[in-house]
């Protein structure tokens, strides 16, 4: 299917710990994005990594991309209660076409 | 810019009625997306436009659903007639060069 699949489906960790989520996809990509959704709200863009990049940082977020394995990971360091949300990856498969589709996401719960 | 603006935020309607959801994308964005989110089906892409032209409407569930983008600053998603199974949160998003911005969504309840 033309979308990423996030793993695990749900993750609960203690505040202050690191959280890692994974995304797998099936065909070559142009770029891959990660989004966050707080309950009842629209998705918020977190980070975009291009196919020729292997790692990217933004604040407490670290994203890696392994095109040979067709996978990406999102690491949130020093988690906070406010990080509780669902996280989605969105691979972009078509060069010059910005179609965005989403999987079922990873539901992250930070326990205070 | 105020971001992507959707209206109404909440809509409760009776089965069989026509429902129109509205979206104002961010100025300068050339892509506009309509999504539907439910617990059972997750976040589904219904249709998307590029420069006001529909590119892919394969996600539109039935002929009861239609979407238009008459100009770069406005789009509508219409359901006629509505059914209880259409109850969901509908999101509009716009993008330029990849990063998409989402509206707050319209929570539709069909009774």
């Amino acid at each position: 299917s033309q979308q990423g699949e996030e793993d695990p489906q749900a993750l609960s960790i203690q505040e202050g710990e690191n959280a890692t989520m994974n995304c797998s996809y099936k065909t070559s990509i142009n770029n891959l994005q990660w989004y966050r959704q707080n309950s009842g709200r629209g998705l918020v863009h977190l980070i975009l990594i291009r196919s020729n990049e292997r790692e990217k940082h933004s604040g407490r977020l670290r994203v890696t991309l392994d095109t040979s394995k067709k996978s990406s990971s999102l690491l949130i360091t020093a988690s906070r209660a406010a990080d509780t949300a669902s996280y989605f990856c969105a691979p972009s498969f078509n060069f010059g076409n910005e179609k965005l589709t989403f999987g079922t996401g990873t539901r992250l719960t930070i326990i205070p | 810019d105020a971001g992507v603006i959707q209206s109404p935020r909440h809509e409760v309607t009776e089965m069989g009625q026509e429902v129109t959801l509205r979206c104002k994308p961010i100025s300068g964005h050339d892509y506009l997306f309509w999504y539907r989110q439910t617990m059972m089906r997750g976040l589904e892409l219904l249709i998307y436009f590029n420069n006001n032209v529909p590119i892919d409407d394969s996600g539109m569930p039935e002929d009861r659903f239609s979407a238009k983008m008459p100009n770069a600053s406005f789009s509508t998603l219409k359901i006629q007639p509505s059914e209880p199974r259409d109850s969901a949160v509908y999101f509009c998003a716009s993008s330029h060069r990849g990063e998409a911005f989402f509206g707050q969504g319209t929570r539709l309840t069909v009774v």
Side-chain angles (χ1 to χ4, degrees):
Chain A
S1 63
Q2 291 281 305
Q3 66 188 36
E5 294 297 333
E6 298 87 354
D7 175 71
Q9 287 190 335
L11 178 63
S12 293
I13 62 173
Q14 295 287 334
E15 191 169 19
E17 294 181 341
N18 297 340
T20 300
M21 288 156 272
N22 303 296
C23 170
S24 60
Y25 54 91
K26 295 184 178 177
T27 59
S28 296
I29 61 170
N30 178 32
N31 62 60
L32 185 144
Q33 303 180 57
W34 284 91
Y35 287 80
R36 182 189 75 227
Q37 184 181 32
N38 292 92
S39 181
R41 293 182 170 269
L43 277 68
V44 173
H45 180 266
L46 295 176
I47 198 164
L48 181 153
I49 186 165
R50 303 196 184 282
S51 59
N52 61 352
E53 298 176 308
R54 292 296 169 259
E55 188 171 310
K56 203 162 183 179
H57 297 255
S58 177
R60 294 183 296 111
L61 306 181
R62 173 177 167 251
V63 168
T64 61
L65 179 63
D66 187 334
T67 53
S68 67
K69 295 182 179 179
K70 294 185 172 56
S71 68
S72 175
S73 67
L74 170 67
L75 169 68
I76 304 174
T77 60
S79 63
R80 305 168 181 170
D83 295 328
T84 294
S86 291
Y87 292 81
F88 298 86
C89 69
S92 175
F93 298 97
N94 303 309
F95 291 82
N97 183 331
E98 297 183 10
K99 180 177 182 178
L100 272 182
T101 56
F102 297 91
T104 54
T106 292
R107 176 66 190 170
L108 174 65
T109 301
I110 307 300
I111 304 167
Chain B
D1 202 311
V4 176
I5 300 173
Q6 291 186 246
S7 64
R9 290 293 308 277
H10 302 273
E11 176 83 26
V12 180
T13 190
E14 290 186 348
M15 181 175 62
Q17 296 297 307
E18 177 180 295
V19 175
T20 300
L21 310 182
R22 297 173 175 78
C23 176
K24 178 178 174 13
I26 293 173
S27 177
H29 282 191
D30 49 356
Y31 281 85
L32 184 139
F33 306 85
W34 281 101
Y35 295 91
R36 177 174 70 175
Q37 188 173 39
T38 62
M39 289 292 292
M40 290 295 294
R41 304 173 73 93
L43 191 61
E44 303 172 276
L45 175 62
L46 301 177
I47 185 171
Y48 74 101
F49 297 82
N50 178 221
N51 293 322
N52 313 339
V53 176
I55 302 301
D56 185 349
D57 66 353
S58 60
M60 297 285 261
E62 300 170 34
D63 291 344
R64 298 184 296 106
F65 286 69
S66 62
K68 295 181 179 180
M69 192 166 185
N71 56 61
S73 59
F74 186 64
S75 177
T76 59
L77 177 67
K78 185 176 294 186
I79 308 172
Q80 166 63 19
S82 58
E83 297 183 3
R85 58 195 169 120
D86 301 330
S87 296
V89 180
Y90 291 80
F91 289 103
C92 174
S94 68
S95 75
H96 177 64
R97 294 185 179 178
E99 179 181 346
F101 291 79
F102 281 71
Q104 291 296 329
T106 295
R107 182 174 295 276
L108 173 66
T109 303
V110 183
V111 298

